[in-house]
């Protein structure tokens, strides 16, 4: 079973209480200190911020830029904590309350991490079955979600046969026409809502989401100042303007 990793920001009195309860806590915790670098912060699932520690200005940057779940710990509950914190723990708290708030927020974090995928400038929410872009969204079928996941994983053109084997498991009820129909409907959905006709691309090798990088041939032109590397298109323009030698 996964145990959440919690980084605690607080006074020594608060840290000491947690140390006394360590054998009963259902999560692993570590006290924050200035030797913990920015990269190490990414290893923690949850940050517990005691109200007394927030006077330190250097913590504001950590609060604002971290993707960890941030829980505000205080003796007085105010609505202001919702601006930058995800949840609130009112002191004094029981052992069950401490374990519960960490467990619930850890589960939410895992659920969100596994359910939301960014594709280009869009977000695919698998739980709500929606493809979102800013304030707009469309509903997707389970097969459409599986198609997008496949394109996202491959990051190269995917053949119809590959789609059939992965999404339909070579079902007797599916053929290449089934693939074409589903992709046509999905592309139409996306265009009708987002006016994006290039979300799913199609070429002779198959379907994909990513534009291929086209490398144009380059050519050296000898100028008075030396040899210059130009694209073929630019070289043609230069050659047309002046009588230059190729090398």
């Amino acid at each position: 079973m996964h145990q959440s990793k919690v980084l605690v920001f607080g006074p020594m009195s608060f840290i000491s209480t947690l140390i006394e309860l360590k054998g009963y806590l259902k999560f692993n915790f570590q006290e924050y200190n200035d030797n913990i670098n920015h990269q190490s912060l990414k290893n923690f699932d949850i940050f517990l911020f005691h109200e007394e520690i927030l006077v330190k200005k250097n913590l504001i940057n950590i609060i604002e830029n971290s993707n960890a779940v941030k829980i505000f710990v205080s003796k007085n509950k105010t609505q202001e904590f919702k601006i930058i914190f995800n949840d609130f723990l009112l002191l004094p708290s029981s052992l069950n309350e401490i374990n519960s708030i960490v467990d619930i927020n850890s589960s939410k974090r895992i659920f969100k991490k596994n359910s939301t995928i960014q594709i280009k400038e869009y977000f695919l929410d698998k739980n709500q079955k929606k493809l979102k872009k800013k304030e707009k969204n469309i509903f997707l079928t389970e097969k459409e979600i599986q198609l997008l996941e496949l394109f996202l994983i491959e990051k190269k053109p995917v053949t119809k046969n590959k789609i059939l084997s992965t999404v339909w498991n070579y079902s007797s009820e599916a053929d290449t026409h089934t693939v074409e129909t589903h992709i046509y409907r999905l592309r139409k959905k996306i265009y009708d809502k987002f006016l994006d006709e290039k979300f799913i691309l199609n070429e002779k090798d198959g379907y994909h989401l990513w534009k291929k990088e086209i490398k144009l041939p380059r050519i050296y032109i000898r100028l008075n100042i030396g040899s210059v590397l130009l694209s073929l298109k630019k070289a043609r323009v230069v050659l047309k303007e002046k009588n230059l030698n190729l090398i």
Side-chain angles (χ1 to χ4, degrees), residues 14 49-52 54 71-82 85 87-93:
F14 181 60
F49 287 94
H50 192 283
E51 59 183 345
E52 292 182 20
L54 293 182
I71 300 175
F72 184 49
V73 182
S74 173
K75 296 178 181 178
N76 302 293
K77 186 170 185 177
T78 62
Q79 292 301 311
E80 284 76 10
F81 84 90
K82 292 183 178 179
F85 295 97
D87 210 340
F88 178 85
L89 178 64
L90 182 64
L91 296 178
S93 298

Side-chain angles (χ1 to χ4, degrees), residues 17 25 32 39 60 63 78 92 101-102 112 124 133 143 161 169 175 182 190 202 216-217 221 238:
T17 301
L25 296 175
Y32 173 79
Q39 190 64 30
I60 300 300
I63 296 172
T78 62
I101 197 168
V102 170
K112 184 177 180 182
L124 173 62
K133 182 180 179 183
K143 291 298 184 189
N161 284 333
N169 295 316
D175 55 23
H182 273 76
I190 293 169
N202 184 18
L216 296 174
I221 301 288
V238 173

